[in-house]
Amino acid sequence: MAIVGQYQGLDGAAFLALVSPIWNVIYSLGLLMVLVDLFYFLLDVENQKATRIAQMNTFQLRLSVLRY
């Protein structure tokens, strides 16, 4: 983004001063959305692990009942 105003003199610097805060807000919102999605993804992975462990325990319990 800083390259925009590199050779443009005062006009480029003024444009960069106007666009930079807007760019920072957009970038920050995007980063926030990625972090929230990552949090939900990790929660889903943990839930799937817990569900899989419960299914495995149920399966092992059924096998143990079938043995006797």
Side-chain angles (χ1 to χ4, degrees):
M1 193 68 191
I3 295 173
V4 170
Q6 187 175 6
Y7 297 112
Q8 302 301 322
L10 294 177
D11 292 336
F15 178 75
L16 191 59
L18 290 174
V19 172
S20 184
I22 298 167
W23 177 260
N24 287 338
V25 168
I26 292 170
Y27 185 81
S28 299
L29 288 175
L31 185 61
L32 179 66
M33 284 189 266
V34 168
L35 291 175
V36 168
D37 286 342
L38 178 64
F39 177 73
Y40 283 125
F41 174 76
L42 291 176
L43 282 179
D44 188 46
V45 167
E46 288 299 319
N47 288 339
Q48 287 178 358
K49 283 182 185 177
T51 303
R52 188 164 216 185
I53 290 172
Q55 289 172 348
M56 289 172 54
N57 288 342
T58 304
F59 181 70
Q60 290 173 352
L61 179 64
R62 288 179 184 166
L63 282 180
S64 66
V65 169
L66 288 175
R67 282 188 197 167
Y68 297 108

